[in-house]
Amino acid sequence: MAGGEVGCVLALYSEEIAFFDAEEMKLLLELAGDISFALDGFAKEEKLDYLAFYDPLTGVPNRALFRERLNQRTGAADQGEHRLAVVLLNIERFHTVNDTLGRQTGDELLKQIAGRCLRFAADPALFARPVGDQFGC
C-alpha cells in the first residue's frame, strides 16, 4: 500500500504447503513494507515536483515556471532581435467574489478563466497563473 492505494503486489508461490517458515515470512513482510515505503516516497516526490511548477487549483504553470519560461523567451528575443509581448490579466475586485460568494465559487471562477484562456492562447505552454488573481502569457 502506498498513499492508501495498492501500488504493487508481491506474490510468491510454491507447490509445497507451508514452504516458507515463520522467519522467511517475517522477512517477506518486511520486504513488502520496504517496497511500500519506497513507492510512497516516489509518489510524494512526484507530487512535490509538480507543485513546484504548477498551480494545484488550475493545473497551469505557477510563478516559478512562468518566470523560467519568460526568461527563456526574453533571452531568445534578445539574441534574435525579436519582439516580445507579455500579457497579464488581473481580475479586479476578485476578493469581493470570495467574500460575497465564497472561496469555492472564487476557485471555480479561476478554473473557468484558466480553461477559457488556455483555449485562446497561441501557445498554451506559456500561459500561467503567477499570482492568486492574475494570469499571464
Side-chain angles (χ1 to χ4, degrees):
M1 299 291 286
E5 296 182 15
V6 175
C8 70
V9 175
L10 175 64
L12 299 173
Y13 297 95
S14 172
E15 293 180 3
E16 295 177 36
I17 296 175
F19 178 79
F20 301 107
D21 64 23
E23 189 67 27
E24 290 171 326
M25 288 301 295
K26 182 179 173 188
L27 285 172
L28 290 171
L29 286 172
E30 189 174 317
L31 174 63
D34 291 345
I35 292 171
S36 176
F37 180 76
L39 290 174
D40 193 43
F42 292 144
K44 287 179 180 174
E45 182 179 352
E46 188 176 301
K47 185 170 184 170
L48 283 174
D49 289 344
Y50 176 82
L51 292 174
F53 292 106
Y54 290 90
D55 174 42
L57 179 67
T58 60
V60 299
N62 64 13
R63 175 190 295 237
L65 189 52
F66 182 65
R67 280 187 149 172
E68 185 178 307
R69 289 177 175 172
L70 183 60
N71 287 337
Q72 290 171 352
R73 293 293 175 139
T74 303
D78 285 344
Q79 290 177 352
E81 296 183 15
H82 298 276
R83 292 184 179 180
L84 177 70
V86 177
V87 176
L88 294 175
L89 169 68
N90 186 39
I91 305 167
E92 291 295 321
R93 295 186 291 272
F94 179 71
H95 67 279
T96 305
V97 173
N98 279 337
D99 292 346
T100 56
L101 302 174
R103 188 175 183 100
Q104 189 174 11
T105 302
D107 287 351
E108 187 57 37
L109 176 62
L110 291 172
K111 289 180 201 176
Q112 286 184 19
I113 290 171
R116 289 179 184 184
C117 288
L118 280 171
R119 285 196 305 260
F120 296 111
D123 186 354
L126 298 177
F127 183 74
R129 182 180 173 211
V131 183
D133 63 348
Q134 190 176 81
F135 294 93
C137 64

